[in-house]
Amino acid sequence: MIFTKQNILEFEKPYRTNFINSLSGFKSANLIGTISSEGKTNLTIFNSVIHVGANPALMGFLMRPVSVERHTYTNIKETNYFTINHISKEIFKQAHQTSARYEKDISEFDACKLTPQFNEAIKAPYVKESKIKIGLKFLEEQEIKSNGTIFIVGEIVEIVLPDDVVDNDGYVDIEKATTIVISGLDSYHETKRIARLSYAKPGVEPKEI
Amino acid sequence: MIFTKQNILEFEKPYRTNFINSLSGFKSANLIGTISSEGKTNLTIFNSVIHVGANPALMGFLMRPVSVERHTYTNIKETNYFTINHISKEIFKQAHQTSARYEKDISEFDACKLTPQFNEAIKAPYVKESKIKIGLKFLEEQEIKSNGTIFIVGEIVEIVLPDDVVDNDGYVDIEKATTIVISGLDSYHETKRIARLSYAKPGVEPKEI
């Protein structure tokens, strides 16, 4: 089955949104926590968080255009901090609910029954119920000119995770931490490891490690 | 267990690479196909492909700094086209092997036993064995100043996928297409759907759809 650019343009908007959002493959499932300069917390689900670099340790995510007010964006610009919290299987419904359009004076923590948790190093709330939490300091933003989305980059300042998920080689077993994964806009999936593979070299078959 | 920025700096390099690469959550698993102006095909695994926008239909991915030669980058700049091909369970070892450092005169298609497939609309090879294939035209690049990585954005020109994976509302069932997911640098996982959830509205519990 082949779809052309013309087909995409002729789709009804909701159909196109579902369709195109499915094409990038599976997506990371994270909650981003921030706080305003007046101390109001905010929490929003993002499926665009990616690894940016290991040294310095950087993560980034893509945010929709700020032509309408984005509380996450405003808070990051005010405080310079945000947290990234893995969505585990146990909290996927609460996490999804954070995508509802709450007014600025309502905290998604309260509305979605999740608990803000503060550590000294980070001026932003973690999600207590999340098993893997990362505190970041804002570094830079790059606007994608084609559609006004903004790629936000932060430096990792702190990581909070369970004792038993870090393997001897540094790999963090996020499946063991019941981190889930998203496809499209609204489909949530758990995972089952097939294998880890050895570092690839020309002419050598990859081995399961 | 808490790690600070200082802890991260003190990690040995391979440990830090594994650790930090695990933190963004699960990652999309895609092969990006390109061709040089001399007609030499190239294929590389990427775990940073994300959705950028539905209208216009845009996808993007983060590429390492071009301080050393990146064949994917050079080819995209020469031809303006690239393909994104989902990695399904059946080809995950061949896909992993494309990360080996092959010389420019060797095509990863040949070295990793995958088949280039050309359609008229796209000046880049698809992976025949991949079930979901997207052809894109290069639109823009944004450099992440913090570490020199480059975010590449393309517009979707064509999509090739099986007849039976597109649901009535446009959602593409990539799990049914056996698309897999990556964690860290080298761990491959299959998925099992927990649920799709209804569009979130304030004060309304999300329903499984």
Side-chain angles (χ1 to χ4, degrees), chain B residues 37-208:
Chain B
S37 51
E38 287 91 38
K40 198 81 200 167
T41 58
N42 184 274
L43 188 68
T44 311
I45 187 169
F46 278 88
N47 59 29
S48 62
V49 172
I50 57 174
H51 170 81
V52 173
N55 190 23
L58 308 178
M59 290 168 77
F61 67 99
L62 194 71
M63 161 165 283
R64 293 166 73 183
V66 291
S67 47
V68 303
E69 200 192 358
R70 307 277 174 204
H71 305 153
T72 301
Y73 181 81
T74 312
N75 291 348
I76 290 174
K77 297 309 287 278
E78 283 181 12
T79 65
N80 269 324
Y81 283 91
F82 59 105
T83 69
I84 294 179
N85 306 267
H86 282 212
I87 300 173
S88 50
K89 194 181 174 186
E90 296 77 11
I91 58 167
F92 87 99
K93 284 192 182 173
Q94 292 105 299
H96 181 77
Q97 186 62 20
T98 65
S99 65
R101 289 188 197 174
Y102 293 102
E103 297 298 322
K104 188 164 187 179
D105 61 333
I106 295 183
S107 169
E108 291 81 5
F109 280 101
D110 298 332
C112 305
K113 304 189 181 81
L114 292 164
T115 315
Q117 178 185 308
F118 289 90
N119 282 7
E120 212 171 306
I122 310 292
K123 268 186 282 186
Y126 290 115
V127 177
K128 188 177 177 217
E129 291 81 359
S130 173
K131 293 178 189 165
I132 298 178
K133 319 180 224 274
I134 302 121
L136 301 103
K137 188 165 184 199
F138 171 74
L139 271 190
E140 68 175 280
E141 59 182 305
Q142 295 297 337
E143 187 188 349
I144 309 303
K145 304 287 183 260
S146 307
N147 70 349
T149 52
I150 299 170
F151 192 72
I152 304 270
V153 178
E155 182 175 14
I156 299 175
V157 179
E158 184 176 75
I159 301 132
V160 185
L161 38 63
D163 290 348
D164 62 348
V165 299
V166 185
D167 287 358
N168 289 335
D169 63 356
Y171 171 74
V172 182
D173 192 342
I174 64 173
E175 181 169 285
K176 192 172 181 182
T178 71
T179 298
I180 58 164
V181 60
I182 296 175
S183 71
L185 285 168
D186 53 26
S187 185
Y188 296 85
H189 309 250
E190 55 193 323
T191 64
K192 182 164 162 267
R193 180 170 293 106
I194 305 168
R196 285 187 69 188
L197 294 180
S198 56
Y199 189 79
K201 291 177 185 165
V204 183
E205 291 258 322
K207 298 262 176 299
E208 299 193 9

Side-chain angles (χ1 to χ4, degrees), chain A residues 88-129:
Chain A
S88 50
K89 193 181 174 186
E90 296 78 8
I91 58 168
F92 87 98
K93 284 193 181 172
Q94 292 105 299
H96 181 78
Q97 186 61 20
T98 65
S99 65
R101 289 188 196 174
Y102 293 103
E103 298 297 322
K104 188 163 186 179
D105 62 333
I106 294 182
S107 170
E108 290 82 4
F109 281 101
D110 299 332
C112 306
K113 304 189 180 80
L114 292 165
T115 316
Q117 177 185 308
F118 289 90
N119 282 8
E120 212 170 306
I122 310 293
K123 267 186 283 187
Y126 289 116
V127 177
K128 188 176 177 220
E129 290 82 359

Side-chain angles (χ1 to χ4, degrees), chain A:
Chain A
M1 203 177 197
I2 296 186
F3 294 96
T4 64
K5 186 174 159 179
Q6 190 57 36
N7 296 141
I8 298 170
L9 286 170
E10 289 163 1
F11 286 159
E12 299 281 335
K13 189 184 169 199
Y15 190 97
R16 181 172 53 228
T17 305
N18 278 322
F19 185 83
I20 301 297
N21 264 281
S22 304
L23 296 180
S24 58
F26 285 101
K27 303 167 174 181
S28 56
N30 288 289
L31 287 162
I32 295 189
T34 55
I35 190 166
S36 70
S37 51
E38 288 91 40
K40 199 81 200 168
T41 57
N42 184 274
L43 189 68
T44 310
I45 188 169
F46 278 88
N47 59 30
S48 61
V49 171
I50 57 173
H51 170 82
V52 173
N55 190 22
L58 308 178
M59 290 168 78
F61 66 100
L62 194 71
M63 161 166 282
R64 293 165 73 184
V66 292
S67 48
V68 305
E69 201 190 359
R70 306 279 174 204
H71 305 153
T72 301
Y73 181 80
T74 312
N75 291 349
I76 291 174
K77 299 307 290 278
E78 281 181 13
T79 66
N80 268 324
Y81 283 90
F82 60 106
T83 69
I84 293 178
N85 307 267
H86 282 211
I87 300 174
S88 50
K89 193 181 174 186
E90 296 78 8
I91 58 168
F92 87 98
K93 284 193 181 172
Q94 292 105 299
H96 181 78
Q97 186 61 20
T98 65
S99 65
R101 289 188 196 174
Y102 293 103
E103 298 297 322
K104 188 163 186 179
D105 62 333
I106 294 182
S107 170
E108 290 82 4
F109 281 101
D110 299 332
C112 306
K113 304 189 180 80
L114 292 165
T115 316
Q117 177 185 308
F118 289 90
N119 282 8
E120 212 170 306
I122 310 293
K123 267 186 283 187
Y126 289 116
V127 177
K128 188 176 177 220
E129 290 82 359
S130 173
K131 292 178 190 165
I132 298 179
K133 319 180 223 274
I134 302 121
L136 301 103
K137 188 166 184 196
F138 171 74
L139 271 190
E140 69 176 280
E141 60 183 304
Q142 295 297 337
E143 188 188 348
I144 308 304
K145 304 288 184 258
S146 308
N147 70 349
T149 52
I150 299 171
F151 192 72
I152 304 270
V153 178
E155 182 175 14
I156 299 176
V157 179
E158 185 176 74
I159 301 133
V160 185
L161 40 62
D163 290 349
D164 62 348
V165 299
V166 185
D167 287 358
N168 289 335
D169 64 355
Y171 171 75
V172 182
D173 191 343
I174 64 174
E175 180 169 287
K176 193 172 180 182
T178 70
T179 298
I180 57 164
V181 61
I182 297 175
S183 71
L185 284 168
D186 53 26
S187 185
Y188 295 85
H189 309 249
E190 55 192 322
T191 64
K192 182 164 162 268
R193 180 170 293 106
I194 305 167
R196 285 187 69 190
L197 294 181
S198 56
Y199 188 80
K201 290 176 186 164
V204 183
E205 291 258 321
K207 297 261 176 299
E208 299 193 9
I209 56 174

